[in-house]
Amino acid sequence: MRNANAAPEWADLRKDIDDRVERLRRRVAAHREWLHDRTLLLAELPAERILEVSHATAERDRRFRAELTDALSEVNALIRRYDLLVIPALQLPLVALERLGLE
């Protein structure tokens, strides 16, 4: 397989899983930073704009969390498939929000 530059399916799957989890971590970190910045913004806004901006922030956070939940479902489906292909010592735990640093 080495001479043919071919890798087993599980090796490619593991790379895909690792790449997706890293992208999710970066997205979560960026979202947390955005939430922090929004909190600072809310503290500086005039009273008449606080409610509007607060609702917009909550809506964007809700959408982000929904997208993240969908992405986690996809990654966990790949992990389940990977776990079926490898020996128990190589199996991966499912990814949870806590593992990504959001909760």
Side-chain angles (χ1 to χ4, degrees):
M1 289 181 85
R2 267 191 200 149
N3 292 340
N5 284 332
E9 179 185 358
W10 63 265
D12 291 336
L13 197 51
R14 174 65 188 257
K15 183 177 179 344
D16 187 25
I17 290 166
D18 290 344
D19 290 346
R20 287 176 186 236
V21 169
E22 184 55 35
R23 280 195 307 268
L24 288 175
R25 279 197 177 103
R26 285 194 308 266
R27 285 183 64 197
V28 166
H31 184 69
R32 286 179 62 137
E33 185 176 329
W34 178 81
L35 285 173
H36 175 73
D37 292 346
R38 291 298 276 198
T39 302
L40 296 176
L41 173 68
L42 284 168
E44 297 174 0
L45 282 177
E48 63 272 3
R49 294 216 40 232
I50 290 175
L51 191 58
E52 168 195 348
V53 173
S54 178
H55 284 304
T57 301
E59 177 59 23
R60 181 167 171 188
D61 184 52
R62 186 197 62 72
R63 281 194 319 267
F64 173 79
R65 288 173 185 268
E67 291 170 5
L68 183 62
T69 299
D70 291 344
L72 279 176
S73 293
E74 290 176 14
V75 168
N76 285 332
L78 290 175
I79 290 173
R80 285 183 188 96
R81 182 170 164 219
Y82 170 84
D83 286 349
L84 290 173
L85 297 172
V86 298
I87 61 173
L90 295 176
Q91 291 181 349
L92 298 172
L94 297 178
V95 179
L97 287 175
E98 298 81 25
R99 193 168 152 205
L100 294 174
L102 187 60
E103 295 294 317

